[in-house]
Amino acid sequence: MNAALRLPATGGFTAPTVDEMHLPPFFELGTFEFGKQMLLILLSVVLIAGFFMWAIRHRALVPSKAQYLGEAGYGFVRNHLGRDIIGEKEFRPYIPLLFTFFFFILVNNLFGSIPVLQLPTLSHAGSAYVLAGIAYVTWVFMGIKRHGFGGFMGKMTMPPDVPKALYVFLIPIEFLSNLIIRPVTHALRVFATMFAGHLALMVAASMTAFLLTNGGLLSVVSVGSTVLGVFIYFLEILIQVLQAYIFTLLFAVYVQGALQEGH
């Protein structure tokens, strides 16, 4: 973890700052920077592709443990995030993107809980916004393709069964909510939770190190900070998995809403 134990002249504890969360880049080419975060993203692609290619290499009728695990992961995304949300008739074209979103976010989030790696790559806002941007362009494009531009905009801004006089107020509100705020919050959910969880773990770890370093009664108190750190660690693993699920689920919900016929 990139937590630094900083002891000021007063001898007190100073919590890690945001600037200490991420290592400096390995190298720079003009404005392009290649650092640990980008390296882990590339690693996640290799790991995901490698695992599933290895798991299905034999395609046996009686699956091995790896094949069973791979098929179970695929089936979960296909059935629970695709078919059950988007619908039996519509979900198949979106399986590759749903599958990619879920496992890419899951692995990159879990990097934050693996010793040495210890960096959830989506704690960088840019990565989260790129994923949300891909999701946004996809469901908006498919909605326009299905309903036409006017029909799609009507779906997004004019709720059914509402007195027409209220549309004067509802259209700008719905436009901002569905077409401006929605993609931003889609990214912020995963970014903010990964960022906050990573920072909380850094604070707990550096607090424990500070208490142990100062010795005496403070060493006894470090037991409490250690327990807190372990609790945060396992809570963060749960959140990392949930955020991969929530991001993919919301994408499926947005696609379903964009494709469904108007009332």
Side-chain angles (χ1 to χ4, degrees):
M1 189 162 296
N2 303 328
L5 181 60
R6 298 184 293 128
L7 302 178
T10 59
F13 170 73
T14 302
T17 65
V18 173
D19 293 335
E20 296 167 327
M21 286 187 65
H22 302 124
L23 293 173
F26 299 143
F27 64 85
E28 301 180 21
L29 293 175
T31 58
F32 174 78
E33 297 180 349
F34 186 90
K36 182 178 180 180
Q37 187 249 1
M38 295 188 68
L39 179 62
L40 290 180
I41 286 178
L42 295 177
L43 177 62
S44 72
V45 174
V46 173
L47 291 176
I48 296 168
F51 170 76
F52 282 99
M53 291 176 65
W54 175 68
I56 65 172
R57 67 192 186 282
H58 297 310
R59 301 182 185 180
L61 185 61
V62 179
S64 63
K65 293 181 180 179
Q67 182 180 338
Y68 175 80
L69 185 60
E71 290 178 351
Y74 172 80
F76 171 76
V77 174
R78 179 189 186 277
N79 297 327
H80 296 288
L81 294 174
R83 184 186 62 192
D84 293 350
I85 304 299
I86 300 176
E88 182 70 37
K89 297 180 180 180
E90 305 277 7
F91 80 99
R92 287 178 178 82
Y94 302 97
I95 293 176
L97 197 50
L98 290 166
F99 180 87
T100 301
F101 276 150
F102 180 76
F103 284 102
F104 179 80
I105 295 173
L106 177 64
V107 171
N108 279 277
N109 284 353
L110 289 175
F111 280 158
S113 298
I114 299 176
V116 181
L117 300 182
Q118 290 176 304
L119 175 65
T121 59
L122 294 178
S123 64
H124 286 254
S127 302
Y129 280 118
V130 167
L131 293 178
I134 294 172
Y136 178 75
V137 169
T138 300
W139 67 261
V140 169
F141 173 79
M142 296 309 300
I144 294 174
K145 182 178 178 181
R146 172 64 59 87
H147 304 287
F149 181 79
F152 175 74
M153 293 302 294
K155 281 175 57 62
M156 292 293 102
T157 60
M158 302 172 69
D161 304 321
V162 173
K164 293 183 178 180
L166 295 180
Y167 282 149
V168 175
F169 305 101
L170 287 177
I171 288 176
I173 293 174
E174 292 293 311
F175 178 83
L176 288 173
S177 175
N178 292 328
L179 297 172
I180 304 297
I181 298 175
R182 179 185 287 184
V184 175
T185 57
H186 198 190
L188 284 178
R189 283 184 182 92
V190 63
F191 158 69
T193 51
M194 292 304 99
F195 181 89
H198 190 51
L199 188 59
L201 284 172
M202 289 174 60
V203 171
S206 59
M207 173 64 78
T208 300
F210 171 79
L211 294 173
L212 288 173
T213 301
N214 281 266
L217 292 176
L218 291 180
S219 297
V220 178
V221 179
S222 69
V223 175
S225 64
T226 302
V227 172
L228 176 62
V230 172
F231 172 77
I232 294 174
Y233 176 81
F234 286 104
L235 177 63
E236 184 65 8
I237 292 176
L238 175 62
I239 293 173
Q240 287 162 354
V241 176
L242 284 176
Q243 283 303 317
Y245 174 79
I246 291 171
F247 186 98
T248 312
L249 174 68
L250 286 174
F251 171 66
V253 170
Y254 297 156
V255 169
Q256 189 275 335
L259 294 178
Q260 72 177 357
E261 298 299 328
H263 298 283

